[in-house]
Amino acid sequence: MSTAALSRPRPARMSPADVLRVGGAGLRSRPMRVFLSALGIAIGIAAMIGVVGISTSSQEELNRRLAALGTNMLTVSPGQTFSGSQARLPEQSVRMVGDIASVESVSAIGRTDAKVYRNDHIPAVATGGISVCAARTDLPGTVGATIVDGRWLNAADVRYPATVLGARAAEQLGVFRAGDQVWLGGRWFTVVGILAPDELAPELDSAALVGWPVAENELGYDGYPTTLYTRVEDRAVADVQSVLGATANPENPNEVDVSRPSDALAARQATDDTLGGLLLGLGAVALLVGGVGVANTMVISVLERRAEIGLRRSLGATRGQIRTQFLCESLLLSALGGIGGVALGIAVTAGYAAYQGWPSVVPAWAMAGGVGATLVIGGLAGFYPALRAAKLPPTEALATA
């Protein structure tokens, strides 16, 4: 080997710790600019984490509610005839539906033409949208209704002027406890119970429910049910749903509407997910803007630190080491913004979930993806400035400093 080859200096190697130390020193020299650039990244990541976290928390709340309410309830209501008039369910429809092997329980209500008022001095037109319905004594067990005050109708009072008010009906009438009286169907009825809001049967919230016999004897009710509530074995929901219309009204199955109330809750969640996708896109735009801010910061840093680059090159730093230094600074800057954004997104999710009374859930993949996205953005944003810094000739950098 020649003497020239032996005497040729070799560039010093930079360990990963050295790279991080040099990159961190570059960031510490410009704290305010670094903070503002990291803030842009953090806002984008926080928006994305917040959207994913709130959507996931909402889904978890829905799953919890459905687990409590059950997804095995089906409702049957009369549709329309071929002539466009309102159809009717047969009086025997409750019994016929109850004969289906996989049906666990069935109950019904029947809407009457009676009106209910707080007292007998209220104008007849001021109904408040409250309906008066005949109800079977087994309705709460089938629907899952909860009594917040008083009790449900029983076999002893279904023939007498007693009523149970839905949550909204009680609020409209100004009745807050059992024992009060309301003017119903032209006579006084005693409120024996008040229901909690019911998500699977929201029509009960705006109803005054009376016994089936008293509705027929005192309110002119014709005895035809207007809504059937059916609880089915979980494994047989789809099978029962397919035959429920024909069973409830064998002569005119096409005049029967069958629905699954839990599907409405799931559809509402799907609407929220669509809005969440839009907000997620806006968060991605904010993240992209933050990446542009990082690139701008790094380009300015290269221009301001030409003397430093020239000096390091004169002392033996290679182009690769300069390139690695500035790329490390960009990645550190983005990582700071990403970690801060994830923390901010978690805080936003937790705060909103607590306000709504939901469980707070932020998927691990969202947090890891948020930090990973910032590193990708940081790498792309810092690539060009790093190349530009590495290409600066030492003499030119020192001469123009």
PDB file of all heavy atoms in Angstrom, residues 182-211:
ATOM      1  N   VAL A 182    -104.722  13.765  35.602  1.00  0.00           N
ATOM      2  CA  VAL A 182    -104.750  14.473  34.325  1.00  0.00           C
ATOM      3  C   VAL A 182    -106.137  14.299  33.709  1.00  0.00           C
ATOM      4  O   VAL A 182    -106.855  13.342  34.013  1.00  0.00           O
ATOM      5  CB  VAL A 182    -103.655  13.945  33.361  1.00  0.00           C
ATOM      6  CG1 VAL A 182    -102.268  14.289  33.873  1.00  0.00           C
ATOM      7  CG2 VAL A 182    -103.788  12.448  33.136  1.00  0.00           C
ATOM      8  N   TRP A 183    -106.489  15.249  32.855  1.00  0.00           N
ATOM      9  CA  TRP A 183    -107.800  15.227  32.187  1.00  0.00           C
ATOM     10  C   TRP A 183    -107.641  14.445  30.882  1.00  0.00           C
ATOM     11  O   TRP A 183    -107.043  14.912  29.929  1.00  0.00           O
ATOM     12  CB  TRP A 183    -108.257  16.654  31.930  1.00  0.00           C
ATOM     13  CG  TRP A 183    -109.657  16.776  31.397  1.00  0.00           C
ATOM     14  CD1 TRP A 183    -110.023  17.122  30.145  1.00  0.00           C
ATOM     15  CD2 TRP A 183    -110.869  16.575  32.126  1.00  0.00           C
ATOM     16  NE1 TRP A 183    -111.376  17.154  30.012  1.00  0.00           N
ATOM     17  CE2 TRP A 183    -111.936  16.819  31.241  1.00  0.00           C
ATOM     18  CE3 TRP A 183    -111.158  16.219  33.442  1.00  0.00           C
ATOM     19  CZ2 TRP A 183    -113.264  16.722  31.615  1.00  0.00           C
ATOM     20  CZ3 TRP A 183    -112.490  16.115  33.822  1.00  0.00           C
ATOM     21  CH2 TRP A 183    -113.527  16.371  32.915  1.00  0.00           C
ATOM     22  N   LEU A 184    -108.150  13.230  30.838  1.00  0.00           N
ATOM     23  CA  LEU A 184    -107.912  12.332  29.713  1.00  0.00           C
ATOM     24  C   LEU A 184    -109.242  11.785  29.202  1.00  0.00           C
ATOM     25  O   LEU A 184    -110.004  11.170  29.969  1.00  0.00           O
ATOM     26  CB  LEU A 184    -107.006  11.181  30.161  1.00  0.00           C
ATOM     27  CG  LEU A 184    -106.401  10.264  29.098  1.00  0.00           C
ATOM     28  CD1 LEU A 184    -105.131   9.599  29.614  1.00  0.00           C
ATOM     29  CD2 LEU A 184    -107.383   9.185  28.646  1.00  0.00           C
ATOM     30  N   GLY A 185    -109.514  12.040  27.925  1.00  0.00           N
ATOM     31  CA  GLY A 185    -110.740  11.521  27.320  1.00  0.00           C
ATOM     32  C   GLY A 185    -112.000  12.055  27.944  1.00  0.00           C
ATOM     33  O   GLY A 185    -113.034  11.373  27.948  1.00  0.00           O
ATOM     34  N   GLY A 186    -111.936  13.256  28.507  1.00  0.00           N
ATOM     35  CA  GLY A 186    -113.119  13.867  29.090  1.00  0.00           C
ATOM     36  C   GLY A 186    -113.391  13.482  30.530  1.00  0.00           C
ATOM     37  O   GLY A 186    -114.473  13.762  31.052  1.00  0.00           O
ATOM     38  N   ARG A 187    -112.395  12.863  31.187  1.00  0.00           N
ATOM     39  CA  ARG A 187    -112.565  12.531  32.597  1.00  0.00           C
ATOM     40  C   ARG A 187    -111.187  12.507  33.266  1.00  0.00           C
ATOM     41  O   ARG A 187    -110.156  12.521  32.614  1.00  0.00           O
ATOM     42  CB  ARG A 187    -113.280  11.190  32.772  1.00  0.00           C
ATOM     43  CG  ARG A 187    -112.529  10.011  32.192  1.00  0.00           C
ATOM     44  CD  ARG A 187    -113.252   8.715  32.480  1.00  0.00           C
ATOM     45  NE  ARG A 187    -113.384   8.477  33.907  1.00  0.00           N
ATOM     46  CZ  ARG A 187    -114.016   7.427  34.436  1.00  0.00           C
ATOM     47  NH1 ARG A 187    -114.574   6.528  33.649  1.00  0.00           N
ATOM     48  NH2 ARG A 187    -114.103   7.274  35.738  1.00  0.00           N
ATOM     49  N   TRP A 188    -111.200  12.465  34.590  1.00  0.00           N
ATOM     50  CA  TRP A 188    -109.931  12.478  35.329  1.00  0.00           C
ATOM     51  C   TRP A 188    -109.331  11.076  35.395  1.00  0.00           C
ATOM     52  O   TRP A 188    -110.021  10.112  35.715  1.00  0.00           O
ATOM     53  CB  TRP A 188    -110.135  13.009  36.749  1.00  0.00           C
ATOM     54  CG  TRP A 188    -110.478  14.471  36.794  1.00  0.00           C
ATOM     55  CD1 TRP A 188    -111.712  15.019  37.026  1.00  0.00           C
ATOM     56  CD2 TRP A 188    -109.585  15.554  36.592  1.00  0.00           C
ATOM     57  NE1 TRP A 188    -111.650  16.384  36.970  1.00  0.00           N
ATOM     58  CE2 TRP A 188    -110.344  16.749  36.704  1.00  0.00           C
ATOM     59  CE3 TRP A 188    -108.233  15.656  36.311  1.00  0.00           C
ATOM     60  CZ2 TRP A 188    -109.797  18.011  36.557  1.00  0.00           C
ATOM     61  CZ3 TRP A 188    -107.677  16.915  36.160  1.00  0.00           C
ATOM     62  CH2 TRP A 188    -108.446  18.080  36.288  1.00  0.00           C
ATOM     63  N   PHE A 189    -108.048  10.993  35.078  1.00  0.00           N
ATOM     64  CA  PHE A 189    -107.280   9.750  35.212  1.00  0.00           C
ATOM     65  C   PHE A 189    -106.156   9.989  36.212  1.00  0.00           C
ATOM     66  O   PHE A 189    -105.524  11.049  36.221  1.00  0.00           O
ATOM     67  CB  PHE A 189    -106.663   9.330  33.867  1.00  0.00           C
ATOM     68  CG  PHE A 189    -107.571   8.467  33.022  1.00  0.00           C
ATOM     69  CD1 PHE A 189    -108.782   8.975  32.535  1.00  0.00           C
ATOM     70  CD2 PHE A 189    -107.216   7.171  32.709  1.00  0.00           C
ATOM     71  CE1 PHE A 189    -109.606   8.197  31.753  1.00  0.00           C
ATOM     72  CE2 PHE A 189    -108.037   6.376  31.924  1.00  0.00           C
ATOM     73  CZ  PHE A 189    -109.245   6.878  31.437  1.00  0.00           C
ATOM     74  N   THR A 190    -105.869   9.000  37.022  1.00  0.00           N
ATOM     75  CA  THR A 190    -104.781   9.093  37.994  1.00  0.00           C
ATOM     76  C   THR A 190    -103.486   8.564  37.381  1.00  0.00           C
ATOM     77  O   THR A 190    -103.469   7.472  36.790  1.00  0.00           O
ATOM     78  CB  THR A 190    -105.104   8.283  39.258  1.00  0.00           C
ATOM     79  OG1 THR A 190    -106.308   8.809  39.847  1.00  0.00           O
ATOM     80  CG2 THR A 190    -103.967   8.388  40.271  1.00  0.00           C
ATOM     81  N   VAL A 191    -102.433   9.342  37.518  1.00  0.00           N
ATOM     82  CA  VAL A 191    -101.114   8.923  37.021  1.00  0.00           C
ATOM     83  C   VAL A 191    -100.516   7.955  38.035  1.00  0.00           C
ATOM     84  O   VAL A 191    -100.215   8.333  39.174  1.00  0.00           O
ATOM     85  CB  VAL A 191    -100.183  10.136  36.817  1.00  0.00           C
ATOM     86  CG1 VAL A 191     -98.795   9.668  36.363  1.00  0.00           C
ATOM     87  CG2 VAL A 191    -100.785  11.108  35.812  1.00  0.00           C
ATOM     88  N   VAL A 192    -100.351   6.698  37.620  1.00  0.00           N
ATOM     89  CA  VAL A 192     -99.806   5.690  38.539  1.00  0.00           C
ATOM     90  C   VAL A 192     -98.308   5.463  38.308  1.00  0.00           C
ATOM     91  O   VAL A 192     -97.642   4.810  39.131  1.00  0.00           O
ATOM     92  CB  VAL A 192    -100.561   4.351  38.413  1.00  0.00           C
ATOM     93  CG1 VAL A 192    -102.011   4.532  38.820  1.00  0.00           C
ATOM     94  CG2 VAL A 192    -100.442   3.782  37.001  1.00  0.00           C
ATOM     95  N   GLY A 193     -97.778   5.969  37.215  1.00  0.00           N
ATOM     96  CA  GLY A 193     -96.351   5.769  36.946  1.00  0.00           C
ATOM     97  C   GLY A 193     -95.847   6.691  35.850  1.00  0.00           C
ATOM     98  O   GLY A 193     -96.616   7.212  35.039  1.00  0.00           O
ATOM     99  N   ILE A 194     -94.537   6.919  35.844  1.00  0.00           N
ATOM    100  CA  ILE A 194     -93.868   7.728  34.819  1.00  0.00           C
ATOM    101  C   ILE A 194     -92.690   6.917  34.284  1.00  0.00           C
ATOM    102  O   ILE A 194     -91.901   6.352  35.055  1.00  0.00           O
ATOM    103  CB  ILE A 194     -93.371   9.068  35.386  1.00  0.00           C
ATOM    104  CG1 ILE A 194     -94.562   9.892  35.893  1.00  0.00           C
ATOM    105  CG2 ILE A 194     -92.590   9.859  34.332  1.00  0.00           C
ATOM    106  CD1 ILE A 194     -94.166  11.180  36.588  1.00  0.00           C
ATOM    107  N   LEU A 195     -92.560   6.848  32.950  1.00  0.00           N
ATOM    108  CA  LEU A 195     -91.522   6.069  32.301  1.00  0.00           C
ATOM    109  C   LEU A 195     -90.251   6.885  32.088  1.00  0.00           C
ATOM    110  O   LEU A 195     -90.297   8.107  31.925  1.00  0.00           O
ATOM    111  CB  LEU A 195     -91.996   5.552  30.936  1.00  0.00           C
ATOM    112  CG  LEU A 195     -93.157   4.563  30.919  1.00  0.00           C
ATOM    113  CD1 LEU A 195     -93.550   4.274  29.468  1.00  0.00           C
ATOM    114  CD2 LEU A 195     -92.771   3.273  31.624  1.00  0.00           C
ATOM    115  N   ALA A 196     -89.116   6.198  32.049  1.00  0.00           N
ATOM    116  CA  ALA A 196     -87.859   6.808  31.612  1.00  0.00           C
ATOM    117  C   ALA A 196     -87.859   6.864  30.087  1.00  0.00           C
ATOM    118  O   ALA A 196     -88.586   6.114  29.432  1.00  0.00           O
ATOM    119  CB  ALA A 196     -86.678   5.976  32.116  1.00  0.00           C
ATOM    120  N   PRO A 197     -87.062   7.745  29.492  1.00  0.00           N
ATOM    121  CA  PRO A 197     -86.959   7.771  28.022  1.00  0.00           C
ATOM    122  C   PRO A 197     -86.561   6.400  27.491  1.00  0.00           C
ATOM    123  O   PRO A 197     -85.720   5.711  28.071  1.00  0.00           O
ATOM    124  CB  PRO A 197     -85.876   8.816  27.758  1.00  0.00           C
ATOM    125  CG  PRO A 197     -85.902   9.703  28.961  1.00  0.00           C
ATOM    126  CD  PRO A 197     -86.243   8.809  30.116  1.00  0.00           C
ATOM    127  N   ASP A 198     -87.171   6.002  26.380  1.00  0.00           N
ATOM    128  CA  ASP A 198     -86.920   4.684  25.792  1.00  0.00           C
ATOM    129  C   ASP A 198     -86.370   4.858  24.382  1.00  0.00           C
ATOM    130  O   ASP A 198     -87.046   5.395  23.510  1.00  0.00           O
ATOM    131  CB  ASP A 198     -88.223   3.871  25.755  1.00  0.00           C
ATOM    132  CG  ASP A 198     -87.972   2.395  25.520  1.00  0.00           C
ATOM    133  OD1 ASP A 198     -87.268   2.063  24.555  1.00  0.00           O
ATOM    134  OD2 ASP A 198     -88.487   1.573  26.304  1.00  0.00           O
ATOM    135  N   GLU A 199     -85.129   4.390  24.167  1.00  0.00           N
ATOM    136  CA  GLU A 199     -84.498   4.568  22.867  1.00  0.00           C
ATOM    137  C   GLU A 199     -85.026   3.616  21.809  1.00  0.00           C
ATOM    138  O   GLU A 199     -85.077   3.970  20.632  1.00  0.00           O
ATOM    139  CB  GLU A 199     -82.983   4.384  22.999  1.00  0.00           C
ATOM    140  CG  GLU A 199     -82.297   5.497  23.771  1.00  0.00           C
ATOM    141  CD  GLU A 199     -80.793   5.368  23.721  1.00  0.00           C
ATOM    142  OE1 GLU A 199     -80.255   4.575  24.517  1.00  0.00           O
ATOM    143  OE2 GLU A 199     -80.164   6.043  22.903  1.00  0.00           O
ATOM    144  N   LEU A 200     -85.410   2.411  22.194  1.00  0.00           N
ATOM    145  CA  LEU A 200     -85.914   1.459  21.214  1.00  0.00           C
ATOM    146  C   LEU A 200     -87.382   1.688  20.870  1.00  0.00           C
ATOM    147  O   LEU A 200     -87.833   1.268  19.805  1.00  0.00           O
ATOM    148  CB  LEU A 200     -85.730   0.026  21.729  1.00  0.00           C
ATOM    149  CG  LEU A 200     -84.291  -0.495  21.784  1.00  0.00           C
ATOM    150  CD1 LEU A 200     -84.272  -1.955  22.212  1.00  0.00           C
ATOM    151  CD2 LEU A 200     -83.596  -0.334  20.443  1.00  0.00           C
ATOM    152  N   ALA A 201     -88.121   2.321  21.753  1.00  0.00           N
ATOM    153  CA  ALA A 201     -89.533   2.619  21.485  1.00  0.00           C
ATOM    154  C   ALA A 201     -89.804   4.083  21.817  1.00  0.00           C
ATOM    155  O   ALA A 201     -90.507   4.397  22.778  1.00  0.00           O
ATOM    156  CB  ALA A 201     -90.430   1.691  22.304  1.00  0.00           C
ATOM    157  N   PRO A 202     -89.234   5.021  21.048  1.00  0.00           N
ATOM    158  CA  PRO A 202     -89.377   6.446  21.371  1.00  0.00           C
ATOM    159  C   PRO A 202     -90.809   6.949  21.292  1.00  0.00           C
ATOM    160  O   PRO A 202     -91.129   7.995  21.871  1.00  0.00           O
ATOM    161  CB  PRO A 202     -88.493   7.134  20.321  1.00  0.00           C
ATOM    162  CG  PRO A 202     -88.389   6.158  19.196  1.00  0.00           C
ATOM    163  CD  PRO A 202     -88.429   4.809  19.833  1.00  0.00           C
ATOM    164  N   GLU A 203     -91.692   6.205  20.601  1.00  0.00           N
ATOM    165  CA  GLU A 203     -93.094   6.630  20.531  1.00  0.00           C
ATOM    166  C   GLU A 203     -93.762   6.581  21.896  1.00  0.00           C
ATOM    167  O   GLU A 203     -94.759   7.281  22.133  1.00  0.00           O
ATOM    168  CB  GLU A 203     -93.870   5.765  19.529  1.00  0.00           C
ATOM    169  CG  GLU A 203     -93.932   4.291  19.858  1.00  0.00           C
ATOM    170  CD  GLU A 203     -92.721   3.518  19.346  1.00  0.00           C
ATOM    171  OE1 GLU A 203     -91.763   4.153  18.842  1.00  0.00           O
ATOM    172  OE2 GLU A 203     -92.731   2.279  19.459  1.00  0.00           O
ATOM    173  N   LEU A 204     -93.227   5.778  22.818  1.00  0.00           N
ATOM    174  CA  LEU A 204     -93.802   5.712  24.165  1.00  0.00           C
ATOM    175  C   LEU A 204     -93.489   6.965  24.978  1.00  0.00           C
ATOM    176  O   LEU A 204     -94.196   7.267  25.940  1.00  0.00           O
ATOM    177  CB  LEU A 204     -93.270   4.486  24.910  1.00  0.00           C
ATOM    178  CG  LEU A 204     -93.567   3.112  24.293  1.00  0.00           C
ATOM    179  CD1 LEU A 204     -93.006   2.014  25.175  1.00  0.00           C
ATOM    180  CD2 LEU A 204     -95.069   2.931  24.075  1.00  0.00           C
ATOM    181  N   ASP A 205     -92.439   7.684  24.606  1.00  0.00           N
ATOM    182  CA  ASP A 205     -92.066   8.885  25.360  1.00  0.00           C
ATOM    183  C   ASP A 205     -93.147   9.952  25.295  1.00  0.00           C
ATOM    184  O   ASP A 205     -93.301  10.738  26.232  1.00  0.00           O
ATOM    185  CB  ASP A 205     -90.748   9.463  24.822  1.00  0.00           C
ATOM    186  CG  ASP A 205     -89.568   8.536  25.065  1.00  0.00           C
ATOM    187  OD1 ASP A 205     -89.705   7.620  25.892  1.00  0.00           O
ATOM    188  OD2 ASP A 205     -88.523   8.728  24.426  1.00  0.00           O
ATOM    189  N   SER A 206     -93.879   9.998  24.191  1.00  0.00           N
ATOM    190  CA  SER A 206     -94.913  11.035  24.007  1.00  0.00           C
ATOM    191  C   SER A 206     -96.313  10.456  24.114  1.00  0.00           C
ATOM    192  O   SER A 206     -97.235  10.896  23.427  1.00  0.00           O
ATOM    193  CB  SER A 206     -94.737  11.715  22.638  1.00  0.00           C
ATOM    194  OG  SER A 206     -93.469  12.315  22.527  1.00  0.00           O
ATOM    195  N   ALA A 207     -96.468   9.466  24.975  1.00  0.00           N
ATOM    196  CA  ALA A 207     -97.769   8.799  25.082  1.00  0.00           C
ATOM    197  C   ALA A 207     -98.246   8.735  26.520  1.00  0.00           C
ATOM    198  O   ALA A 207     -97.452   8.680  27.461  1.00  0.00           O
ATOM    199  CB  ALA A 207     -97.685   7.379  24.511  1.00  0.00           C
ATOM    200  N   ALA A 208     -99.570   8.768  26.646  1.00  0.00           N
ATOM    201  CA  ALA A 208    -100.224   8.451  27.918  1.00  0.00           C
ATOM    202  C   ALA A 208    -100.819   7.064  27.741  1.00  0.00           C
ATOM    203  O   ALA A 208    -101.664   6.841  26.860  1.00  0.00           O
ATOM    204  CB  ALA A 208    -101.307   9.466  28.238  1.00  0.00           C
ATOM    205  N   LEU A 209    -100.369   6.105  28.516  1.00  0.00           N
ATOM    206  CA  LEU A 209    -100.730   4.708  28.340  1.00  0.00           C
ATOM    207  C   LEU A 209    -101.784   4.303  29.364  1.00  0.00           C
ATOM    208  O   LEU A 209    -101.615   4.545  30.565  1.00  0.00           O
ATOM    209  CB  LEU A 209     -99.484   3.830  28.481  1.00  0.00           C
ATOM    210  CG  LEU A 209     -98.349   4.190  27.503  1.00  0.00           C
ATOM    211  CD1 LEU A 209     -97.017   3.638  27.979  1.00  0.00           C
ATOM    212  CD2 LEU A 209     -98.669   3.676  26.114  1.00  0.00           C
ATOM    213  N   VAL A 210    -102.856   3.705  28.864  1.00  0.00           N
ATOM    214  CA  VAL A 210    -103.954   3.274  29.734  1.00  0.00           C
ATOM    215  C   VAL A 210    -104.198   1.797  29.504  1.00  0.00           C
ATOM    216  O   VAL A 210    -103.693   1.203  28.542  1.00  0.00           O
ATOM    217  CB  VAL A 210    -105.246   4.082  29.448  1.00  0.00           C
ATOM    218  CG1 VAL A 210    -105.006   5.567  29.679  1.00  0.00           C
ATOM    219  CG2 VAL A 210    -105.744   3.836  28.022  1.00  0.00           C
ATOM    220  N   GLY A 211    -104.981   1.175  30.389  1.00  0.00           N
ATOM    221  CA  GLY A 211    -105.292  -0.241  30.245  1.00  0.00           C
ATOM    222  C   GLY A 211    -106.129  -0.517  29.012  1.00  0.00           C
ATOM    223  O   GLY A 211    -106.934   0.320  28.577  1.00  0.00           O
TER     224      GLY A 211
END
